[in-house]
Amino acid sequence: MTSDTIAEPTFDRHLSDDWREQALLADVTAGLGSLPRRLTPRWLYDDRGSELYSEITRLPEYYLTEAERAVLHRAADEIVELSGADTLIELGSGTSDKTTTLLDAFAAVDRLERFVPLDVSEQTLRDAAAELAERYPGLRVHGVIGDFVEHLAVVPHEGVPLLAFLGSTIGNFYPAERAAFFRAVAGWLPDDGHLLLGVDLVKPIDRIMAAYNDEAGVTAAFTLNVLEVINRELDADFDLSAFEHVGMWDPNHSRVDLRLRSLRDQHVTIERTGMQLDIAEDEEIRAEISTKFTFRQLDVEFAAAGLEAVRAWNSDGGEGALVMGRRV
């Protein structure tokens, strides 16, 4: 990457103009039409939800974002060396804020040829790509506008890749979804490629639960906002004041379960789906899970998918970790 010329970013677009609308319709119809009712976590992150999540990461109770950032700063040089990569790919890249730590480490040893960020938000992706192309002259930025579950298979195979999936987003997957994702990663990775996975670790339960039931109520507002998304985009009439945010610990699966609990019997219409819902008092809608991992658990899940862990870096307080894996 030894050039002073700013390379114009290129983009692959794998989402149709109505992808969001159709995906939301399908998810809400399937999820709220089943018992127990559930919603897909990706709909938590509209513009307002993303603002609230950003606020969550700055709360005193929330530990993971800064812990992962600190691990990246400490381990970036070793990650670059061990990976042997010349291509960094980031799934669910957003603004790629934390990823600049890795990009800086690659640039310092003149090893980075290209950066491939993937995200569903086209404007966020384009804005971030333009900033990164300017920050790293000579870097080829190849943005992929798509969903990291649906479109991993079409992420371009260029160079020697390091596939980064940070923020413990993997914890939002149910076990079957996680297994399918790991298999897809194993199928995508070339023999010389590596996965860099950010995970939230098992720790004292009171520390975990404080982050999901913060005193300021930001996480509650974040969870409830998904009903506002459905109201706005599918012409529904959810009364947000008729639900409360509930964060609970599931010891059988080592995960936090975020739910919306109905405070009364209520009838809800979702015009765009044609659904009429009778929701009982105390009935819960499952909004998101956040699994906490042990290294033993990751070893087992990696092995089942044809992957193996080659190195892990813990945060100083044991809050989270980065795990590097490769195909067996």
Side-chain angles (χ1 to χ4, degrees), residues 129-308:
E131 290 181 12
L132 292 170
E134 186 171 347
R135 176 169 175 164
Y136 302 98
L139 175 66
R140 285 177 280 171
V141 181
H142 185 155
V144 179
I145 302 154
D147 178 83
F148 53 69
V149 173
E150 294 182 28
H151 300 114
L152 174 60
V154 296
V155 170
H157 279 80
E158 297 177 293
V160 179
L162 175 63
L163 183 71
F165 193 40
L166 304 177
S168 196
T169 305
I170 191 64
N172 300 144
F173 290 36
Y174 284 90
E177 297 169 336
R178 206 160 59 234
F181 176 78
F182 285 147
R183 288 194 300 270
V185 168
W188 183 90
L189 281 174
D191 290 339
D192 56 359
H194 288 84
L195 167 69
L196 184 67
L197 183 70
V199 295
D200 198 346
L201 297 175
V202 171
K203 62 185 70 65
I205 305 307
D206 57 350
R207 179 99 189 273
I208 294 172
M209 294 313 303
Y212 295 90
N213 293 302
D214 60 275
E215 290 187 8
V218 182
T219 307
F222 172 70
T223 310
L224 284 161
N225 182 67
V226 74
L227 300 180
E228 184 58 41
V229 171
I230 298 171
N231 282 349
R232 181 181 66 247
E233 301 194 26
L234 298 183
D235 297 327
D237 58 2
F238 281 103
D239 178 0
L240 274 63
S241 68
F243 290 88
E244 64 177 349
H245 158 87
V246 179
M248 61 185 71
W249 177 250
D250 179 351
N252 295 321
H253 298 94
S254 296
R255 71 191 184 202
V256 178
D257 202 333
L258 297 183
R259 301 185 181 187
L260 295 169
R261 180 179 293 158
S262 178
L263 298 174
R264 56 176 170 79
D265 293 342
Q266 52 184 304
H267 182 81
V268 176
T269 299
I270 308 177
E271 291 286 356
R272 295 287 308 281
T273 66
M275 299 175 74
Q276 302 283 331
L277 305 178
D278 288 307
I279 302 176
E281 183 178 0
D282 293 329
E283 184 176 349
E284 295 172 343
I285 299 172
R286 300 180 179 188
E288 185 177 51
I289 62 167
S290 184
T291 300
K292 313 307 172 187
F293 296 91
T294 65
F295 292 118
R296 171 61 181 159
Q297 177 185 354
L298 283 170
D299 284 342
V300 170
E301 295 192 17
F302 272 20
L307 297 168
E308 64 176 355

Side-chain angles (χ1 to χ4, degrees), residues 9-72:
T10 59
F11 297 91
D12 296 335
R13 193 173 193 272
H14 296 288
L15 300 180
S16 62
D17 290 340
D18 64 350
W19 173 86
R20 177 182 172 85
E21 176 184 352
Q22 295 304 315
L24 179 60
L25 277 167
D27 284 351
V28 168
T29 300
L32 295 185
S34 64
L35 293 175
R37 304 187 200 276
R38 59 182 282 191
L39 291 168
T40 304
R42 62 184 171 185
W43 305 117
L44 291 162
Y45 298 90
D46 68 335
D47 288 343
R48 176 58 178 156
S50 295
E51 290 173 2
L52 287 167
Y53 181 72
S54 179
E55 190 175 340
I56 286 169
T57 65
R58 298 190 296 272
L59 291 170
E61 299 96 333
Y62 194 80
Y63 52 82
L64 186 61
T65 300
E66 289 309 312
E68 186 175 80
R69 193 186 305 275
V71 176
L72 276 170

